[in-house]
């Protein structure tokens, strides 16, 4: 059995008894080549994450053609000029963080006659270098997306490193409840067990599945 498959099974085992509904594990394959992704596809894994539209376009069209049930998740910063291609290949966007981007997705969805699943990204630690909206802007952006009838399915965050991660996960869970959202996208290699404890149901895991990125 390939290492990545072993790692995935190990993660599934660890979270099994931690949550009621089984979270979806997004295998974050950014920087890894097709040959390193194929063992997981052959195993039947269906959710993968990329953070760059261009990288996705290089490796995924062929793979998606062979493994038709694959769901691709855009988890990185999305520029409006990449929305068109993003909608062609991805099934989910986790990083919607402005009205401008929401409007662009709306326009492009009409052109392509498609609807993509969307998470609103929240800059939960108010960090300058991170994307995402402030908590105080959530109300307005959700309302705007609703008027455009976008398919918003939840909230996403990347909490500050090396701090009290659980505190941020707790706030995210409160926001999810307050705004009646169905899903939370949070938890990476270093903190997915904590995320599961706070009801995250979309885990974005790279290193713990594929190994260190070079
Ligand atoms: C790279 C990345 C991940 C995965 O990180 P790991 O620490 O390798 O598990 C998750 N979310 C986002 C937004 C990423 O860019």
């Amino acid at each position: 059995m390939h290492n990545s498959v072993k790692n995935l099974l190990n993660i599934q085992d660890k979270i099994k008894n931690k949550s009621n509904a089984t979270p979806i594990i997004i295998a974050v394959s950014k920087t890894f080549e097709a040959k390193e992704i194929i063992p997981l596809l052959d195993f039947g894994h269906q959710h993968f994450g990329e953070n760059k539209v261009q990288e996705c376009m290089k490796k995924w069209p062929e793979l998606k053609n062979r493994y038709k049930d694959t769901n691709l998740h855009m988890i990185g910063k999305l520029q409006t000029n990449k929305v068109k291609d993003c909608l062609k290949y991805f099934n989910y966007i986790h990083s919607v963080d402005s009205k401008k981007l929401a409007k662009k997705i709306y326009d492009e969805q009409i052109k392509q006659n498609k609807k993509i699943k969307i998470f609103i990204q929240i800059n939960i630690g108010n960090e300058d270098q991170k994307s995402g909206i402030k908590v105080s802007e959530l109300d307005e952006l959700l309302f705007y997306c609703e008027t455009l009838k976008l398919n918003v399915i939840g909230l996403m965050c990347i909490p500050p490193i090396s701090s009290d991660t659980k505190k941020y996960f707790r706030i995210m869970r409160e926001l999810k409840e307050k705004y009646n959202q169905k899903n939370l996208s949070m938890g990476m290699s270093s903190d997915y067990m904590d995320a599961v404890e706070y009801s995250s149901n979309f885990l974005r895991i790279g290193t713990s599945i594929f190994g260190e990125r070079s």
Side-chain angles (χ1 to χ4, degrees):
M1 193 183 283
H2 195 269
N3 260 335
S4 60
V5 177
K6 268 190 224 159
N7 292 338
L8 176 70
L9 288 172
N10 185 29
I11 294 166
Q12 281 174 343
D13 202 51
K14 275 169 75 181
I15 61 177
K16 198 167 55 191
N17 298 316
K18 278 272 179 183
S19 65
N20 306 326
T22 314
I24 286 175
I25 297 172
I26 301 167
V28 177
S29 49
K30 65 188 184 196
T31 77
F32 290 99
E33 291 173 28
K35 67 175 195 298
E36 294 167 281
I37 302 171
I38 286 170
L40 282 168
L41 288 163
D42 279 337
F43 176 71
H45 194 66
Q46 296 182 344
H47 291 269
F48 292 84
E50 292 285 342
N51 68 339
K52 293 196 177 98
V53 175
Q54 246 153 352
E55 183 184 339
C56 169
M57 284 165 67
K58 274 188 209 140
K59 61 191 194 196
W60 277 103
E62 214 180 302
L63 291 173
K64 251 195 141 172
N65 209 23
R66 265 168 69 194
Y67 301 88
K68 297 209 187 298
D69 294 328
T70 303
N71 288 277
L72 286 184
H73 297 254
M74 173 61 190
I75 61 172
K77 177 94 186 151
L78 181 57
Q79 311 293 341
T80 49
N81 64 356
K82 298 280 170 25
V83 168
K84 182 177 168 192
D85 287 326
C86 180
L87 282 186
K88 278 187 199 149
Y89 300 105
F90 286 89
N91 306 87
Y92 296 75
I93 301 174
H94 290 243
S95 47
V96 171
D97 63 354
S98 71
K99 286 188 188 174
K100 185 178 166 215
L101 181 55
K103 178 64 165 64
K104 183 71 188 174
I105 293 169
Y106 170 82
D107 291 340
E108 204 50 54
Q109 284 192 151
I110 292 174
K111 282 187 201 155
Q112 297 188 26
N113 190 24
K114 252 188 187 175
K115 240 179 172 181
I116 195 160
K117 299 184 187 85
I118 288 171
F119 286 87
I120 305 288
Q121 182 173 354
I122 299 175
N123 186 355
I124 197 68
N126 277 317
E127 298 170 280
D128 288 340
Q129 77 279 17
K130 285 219 175 110
S131 19
I133 56 163
K134 295 196 185 97
V135 170
S136 60
E137 296 165 331
L138 179 57
D139 207 274
E140 196 179 333
L141 185 55
L142 276 174
F143 182 74
Y144 184 71
C145 291
E146 213 172 284
T147 61
L148 298 179
K149 296 195 166 58
L150 296 187
N151 188 16
V152 175
I153 64 161
L155 307 176
M156 177 273 212
C157 80
I158 308 170
I161 315 167
S162 69
S163 65
D164 186 4
T165 313
K166 287 190 183 189
K167 178 180 97 180
Y168 296 104
F169 289 161
R170 185 182 306 118
I171 299 170
M172 288 294 288
R173 186 168 70 183
E174 284 165 10
L175 290 170
K176 170 190 162 219
E177 276 153 24
K178 180 175 174 193
Y179 289 98
N180 240 322
Q181 292 296 308
K182 285 203 183 71
N183 305 290
L184 284 174
S185 163
M186 56 190 201
M188 305 172 35
S189 291
S190 57
D191 55 15
Y192 65 86
M193 289 300 281
D194 291 338
V196 167
E197 193 182 324
Y198 287 91
S199 326
S200 177
N201 57 341
F202 283 82
L203 312 176
R204 309 179 312 264
I205 303 179
T207 313
S208 293
I209 293 175
F210 292 102
E212 294 289 337
R213 288 178 292 273
S214 50

